[in-house]
């Protein structure tokens, strides 16, 4: 789960949250330098990925997906952090839903991976819903691989 290179963050989630930002999982250091990532949902039911301030070469810290996942149904979600391409790509139920350009430098300062929460609540509270089959890949998955992960992990 070390953010020293590209990563793909994957999980099955089920939520109806429509009131606050919530973390699916995180590896984030909030004190002072802010490093790492927080993968979650926002108050509108969209996926969101926050990258820490020390990881940024410029530009925004957040990438927000266009698809809504807060409908009370199970969804397979993936956020691909591609250091090589300098992009964040979201997948919902095996399909690409958005890509955001982001200038970043990987580093998590050795923080602890947390599922369903993050260490800094201004960037998201604990997850109110269900999370299953959390997976982290130490590289950027391709669109074909993201679809395969969805299909092989119990797609309906």
């Amino acid at each position: 789960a070390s953010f020293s290179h590209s990563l793909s963050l994957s999980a099955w989630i089920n939520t109806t949250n429509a009131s606050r930002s919530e973390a699916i999982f995180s590896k984030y250091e909030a004190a002072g330098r802010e490093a790492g990532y927080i993968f979650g949902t926002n108050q509108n039911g969209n996926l969101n990925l926050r990258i820490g301030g020390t990881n940024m070469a410029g530009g925004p810290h957040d990438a927000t997906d266009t698809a809504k996942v807060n409908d009370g149904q199970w969804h397979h979600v993936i956020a691909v952090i591609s250091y090589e391409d300098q992009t964040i790509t979201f997948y919902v139920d095996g399909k690409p839903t958005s890509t955001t350009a982001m200038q970043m430098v990987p580093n998590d300062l050795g923080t602890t991976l947390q599922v369903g929460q993050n260490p800094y609540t201004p960037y998201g509270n604990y997850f109110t819903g269900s999370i299953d089959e959390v997976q982290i890949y130490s590289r950027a998955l391709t669109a074909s691989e993201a679809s395969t992960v969805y299909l092989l992990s119990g797609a309906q």
Side-chain angles (χ1 to χ4, degrees):
S2 175
F3 186 32
S4 58
H5 44 70
S6 295
L7 291 173
S8 297
L9 314 171
S10 169
W12 280 93
I13 64 167
N14 184 331
T15 185
T16 57
N17 171 53
S19 63
R20 64 187 193 168
S21 294
E22 296 184 345
I24 299 168
F25 53 91
S26 66
K27 189 165 175 54
Y28 198 79
E29 187 273 337
R33 302 186 315 177
E34 289 189 75
Y37 57 83
I38 302 169
F39 180 34
T41 61
N42 67 15
Q43 67 279 4
N44 298 318
N46 306 93
L47 295 173
N48 183 268
L49 185 82
R50 178 167 184 83
I51 301 291
T54 60
N55 303 115
M56 301 303 297
H61 292 268
D62 290 279
T64 302
D65 191 24
T66 55
K68 293 199 182 274
V69 294
N70 63 341
D71 58 4
Q73 302 295 312
W74 281 99
H75 292 286
H76 186 259
V77 297
I78 299 177
V80 175
I81 305 169
S82 177
Y83 174 58
E84 293 79 14
D85 295 337
Q86 295 288 291
T87 59
I88 307 296
T89 301
F90 293 102
Y91 295 85
V92 176
D93 298 332
K95 296 179 176 69
T97 50
S98 69
T99 298
T100 302
M102 189 175 286
Q103 299 174 7
M104 61 193 133
V105 179
N107 183 1
D108 60 23
L109 299 176
T111 56
T112 303
L113 178 67
Q114 298 181 27
V115 176
Q117 64 179 4
N118 80 74
Y120 190 56
T121 55
Y123 296 148
N125 288 284
Y126 58 87
F127 193 79
T128 55
S130 298
I131 301 172
D132 198 13
E133 296 186 40
V134 171
Q135 297 176 319
I136 300 175
Y137 298 87
S138 60
R139 63 184 178 82
L141 294 178
T142 66
S144 175
E145 290 170 328
S147 178
T148 299
V149 169
Y150 165 68
L151 292 172
L152 293 177
S153 66
Q156 297 184 14

